[in-house]
Amino acid sequence: MGARDLVPGGSEGAQPLSARSRQPPEEEPRASSLPSIPNPFPELCSPSNSPILSSPALGQGPPREGVSHVVKVFGEDGACRSLEASAGTTARQLCETLVRRTRALQDHSWALVEQHQHLALERCLEDHESVVEVQSSWPPGADSRFVFRKNFAKYELFKSNASLFPEVMVSSCLEANKSMAHSELIQNFLNSGSCPEVQGFLQLREAGRKVWKRFYFSLRRSGLYYSTKGTSKDPRHLQYFADLTESNIYYVTQGKKHYGTPTEFGFCIKPYKVRSGVKGLKLLCSEDEQSRSCWMAAFRLFKYGMQLYRNYQQAQARLNQPPWIGPTPLRSVSDNALVAMDFSGCTGRVIENPSEVLTVALEEAQAWRKKTTHRYSLPAACQSSPLSAAIHRTQPWFHGRISREDTQQLIGRQGLVDGVFLVRESQRNPKGFVLSLCHLQRVKHYLILPSEEEGRLYFTMDDGQTRFADLIQLVEFHQINRGILPCKLRHYCTCVAL
């Protein structure tokens, strides 16, 4: 059974409601009723070397089936909602419930983030993970929680234009002495017979000490190793460090403050058996964000394999599904009386063929898109008015008087992916605005200045070479054309209120 209902959290006497959600609940089969699945990755077997895949035991054991559990989810503004969920509720199902309740735009970038605030650790739950099972692994009274927010980087590793794996860090590229297409590299990761190694230098914090030392690490199917002698991969010099099957990997959010990390690009391997405290955490630190992203993506691929790719395929299928073909379409009595019409001829006719209906709808959308593109690719100044000067405040990409530092953190939390952006008010120029854009895992800031000519107000980023009537026109233009920017605007940062 999926997540059922939501009520605002944090108030006295607040209880989950009992009305069912619109979407039919998905029953999860009991573990005992699942068929035996041969493990395609033998090196990922549990210590018993069982060839059958099984779920790890978290905390005091898996939650009981048929029992409802209360799950609290926080927004980025600190507001909280409570959900009633069954033991089989997945992170994807919970996110879909929250999207419906908040009336947010549905896409596969919504994510549920597990945070351990006292440890400064967080990770994005995979779509197939059981939310109740993860929650049951937390120690009683801990300040751990779930946060609902965007994560544009969640499936970036499966996109052909992604460059998450530098050639110098992938053994197959080094051995072949040639570059490898990203899609081919991902296939090799998912193929148990030709899985490459990921290798490189990382800073390691010694157990029980605050000293960090630099070692050469190698990530293989069988686990994570580091060399005790330079870059040697001789078995005599390799020291076993961590088991992927019995651990989760987390971002370290405030590494220098909590752990004295050499850089801000720390991450942590947290074994399932470590329920609270710093003892038992395996703390690592990369030289830059690209290196950390590579290690994090490789850990996910090694740990989840084809399951991760199936999650991506299912997310794409849901994204490409037209809303009117959804499993639970909302239709009123008047909708049932509507028919598709063709007015291209002298007289109108009713279109009865469903395939023709879809074709006509797509052609009409394409024609409208061309009109809109032409309008915004040739911006024209318009008479200034209070409405045009303030209409941007209604847009989800506008964040008002947010500081530069908070902007960097927000974009970093929602995914350092090319094209992630927001627009904010300038702190230095009281009449200006700033477009903050992520490119090559760095956040860049572009000043937008208003200007007036012959009584007409316009906005520009290039000293008047390209003029826009308002900020909406500016954003929509750069979603289609790169202009002076290093990349097009692809994803806007947004925060929803729970």
Side-chain angles (χ1 to χ4, degrees):
M1 183 184 297
R4 292 169 60 187
D5 292 283
L6 300 161
V7 295
S11 60
E12 293 185 8
Q15 296 294 332
L17 302 178
S18 58
R20 296 180 181 274
S21 61
R22 292 188 298 104
Q23 186 169 353
E26 298 181 15
E27 292 292 341
E28 295 289 336
R30 294 174 181 269
S32 59
S33 66
L34 290 174
S36 298
I37 305 174
N39 188 353
F41 311 125
E43 291 181 279
L44 286 180
C45 288
S46 59
S48 61
N49 291 323
S50 169
I52 305 301
L53 290 175
S54 60
S55 299
L58 295 177
Q60 300 300 322
R64 291 179 297 170
E65 294 286 344
V67 178
S68 295
H69 303 264
V70 176
V71 177
K72 284 190 174 183
V73 181
F74 289 80
E76 290 188 276
D77 59 354
C80 171
R81 281 210 177 196
S82 297
L83 298 92
E84 190 177 70
S86 67
T89 301
T90 64
R92 174 184 64 81
Q93 292 170 334
L94 192 109
C95 285
E96 288 179 349
T97 300
L98 287 165
V99 166
R100 288 196 302 271
R101 296 295 180 176
T102 58
R103 293 180 172 83
L105 183 64
Q106 174 68 285
D107 59 38
H108 60 63
S109 61
W110 288 108
L112 200 64
V113 178
E114 176 192 9
Q115 285 186 348
H116 300 288
Q117 299 180 85
H118 62 295
L119 298 175
L121 303 179
E122 67 176 38
R123 75 178 181 98
C124 174
L125 266 64
E126 304 298 346
D127 284 351
H128 67 277
E129 288 191 77
S130 167
V131 177
V132 176
E133 198 169 288
V134 173
Q135 183 176 262
S136 68
S137 69
W138 299 344
D143 60 351
S144 303
R145 64 182 186 176
F146 292 121
V147 177
F148 177 62
R149 72 180 187 216
K150 289 276 191 178
N151 180 12
F152 297 108
K154 182 163 64 170
Y155 292 123
E156 195 71 9
L157 72 165
F158 291 120
K159 299 178 181 179
S160 58
N161 60 347
S163 55
L164 292 177
F165 301 98
E167 295 176 12
V168 69
M169 293 183 65
V170 182
S171 60
S172 56
C173 295
L174 292 173
E175 293 169 1
N177 197 23
K178 65 176 183 180
S179 61
M180 185 179 297
H182 181 78
S183 57
E184 182 182 357
L185 186 59
I186 293 297
Q187 290 177 359
N188 288 346
F189 272 110
L190 299 178
N191 186 349
S192 59
S194 61
C195 181
E197 291 183 18
V198 174
Q199 54 199 22
F201 283 101
L202 290 171
Q203 298 273 0
L204 166 64
R205 182 181 177 180
E206 295 189 2
R209 302 178 62 188
K210 296 184 179 181
V211 178
W212 291 80
K213 288 189 176 181
R214 193 166 181 258
F215 291 96
Y216 193 77
F217 280 80
S218 296
L219 182 61
R220 302 176 176 179
R221 285 280 184 208
S222 54
L224 181 64
Y225 302 81
Y226 67 91
S227 176
T228 58
K229 187 177 180 180
T231 59
S232 172
K233 296 200 294 184
D234 188 294
R236 297 174 299 172
H237 304 142
L238 289 181
Q239 181 72 36
Y240 184 76
F241 184 69
D243 178 15
L244 305 185
T245 60
E246 300 297 328
S247 307
N248 282 320
I249 185 166
Y250 293 79
Y251 284 96
V252 178
T253 56
Q254 297 178 355
K256 290 188 176 181
K257 176 181 178 181
H258 284 77
Y259 306 107
T261 56
T263 71
E264 291 289 357
F265 311 110
F267 60 97
C268 171
I269 300 174
K270 183 175 179 289
Y272 293 153
K273 62 183 180 180
V274 177
R275 290 175 57 82
S276 62
V278 178
K279 187 176 181 180
L281 299 180
K282 300 179 184 295
L283 295 163
L284 299 164
C285 190
S286 301
E287 298 296 329
D288 51 40
E289 184 60 46
Q290 184 183 29
S291 173
R292 179 169 71 167
S293 298
C294 176
W295 285 106
M296 299 289 282
F299 268 99
R300 294 174 65 204
L301 285 169
F302 279 126
K303 181 176 174 64
Y304 299 109
M306 284 302 298
Q307 177 64 63
L308 195 63
Y309 186 62
R310 284 193 292 269
N311 292 349
Y312 169 67
Q313 288 181 313
Q314 292 169 4
Q316 287 294 103
R318 292 192 299 273
L319 187 63
N320 296 331
Q321 186 181 42
W324 60 85
I325 308 181
T328 55
L330 292 176
R331 304 187 66 187
S332 65
V333 176
S334 59
D335 290 332
N336 293 325
L338 298 177
V339 295
M341 299 288 294
D342 177 18
F343 295 101
S344 60
C346 296
T347 60
R349 68 181 181 90
V350 177
I351 304 177
E352 298 180 352
N353 187 341
S355 299
E356 187 180 359
V357 171
L358 182 60
T359 301
V360 171
L362 293 175
E363 289 177 352
E364 185 177 351
Q366 185 66 22
W368 178 258
R369 189 177 296 110
K370 287 181 179 179
K371 292 179 183 178
T372 307
T373 302
H374 179 71
R375 172 191 170 194
Y376 289 122
S377 60
L378 297 172
C382 66
Q383 194 72 23
S384 60
S385 67
L387 178 61
S388 63
I391 193 172
H392 54 269
R393 297 185 181 277
T394 64
Q395 301 304 303
W397 40 256
F398 184 73
H399 289 253
R401 297 190 61 82
I402 184 174
S403 68
R404 184 186 184 103
E405 182 180 356
D406 290 341
T407 297
Q408 304 251 151
Q409 293 178 1
L410 177 59
I411 294 179
R413 288 196 303 266
Q414 297 198 4
L416 292 174
V417 175
D418 285 0
V420 175
F421 76 98
L422 62 82
V423 178
R424 58 188 174 89
E425 295 179 4
S426 173
Q427 292 182 305
R428 296 182 179 179
N429 191 316
K431 294 184 179 181
F433 301 89
V434 177
L435 171 65
S436 298
L437 171 68
C438 179
H439 180 62
L440 298 180
Q441 298 180 329
R442 294 180 180 273
V443 180
K444 302 180 180 180
H445 307 273
Y446 299 87
L447 184 62
I448 304 172
L449 291 175
S451 183
E452 191 172 337
E453 183 176 321
E454 297 180 356
R456 295 183 176 181
L457 178 69
Y458 62 86
F459 297 88
T460 181
M461 291 193 298
D462 54 7
D463 296 327
Q465 296 296 319
T466 311
R467 304 177 182 182
F468 302 93
D470 50 49
L471 295 183
I472 295 180
Q473 195 180 69
L474 182 147
V475 167
E476 292 187 350
F477 173 83
H478 288 96
Q479 287 175 325
I480 302 170
N481 309 276
R482 193 181 73 176
I484 65 168
L485 303 177
C487 64
K488 297 178 184 178
L489 306 183
R490 292 175 55 203
H491 313 290
Y492 58 82
C493 286
T494 184
C495 299
V496 296
L498 296 181

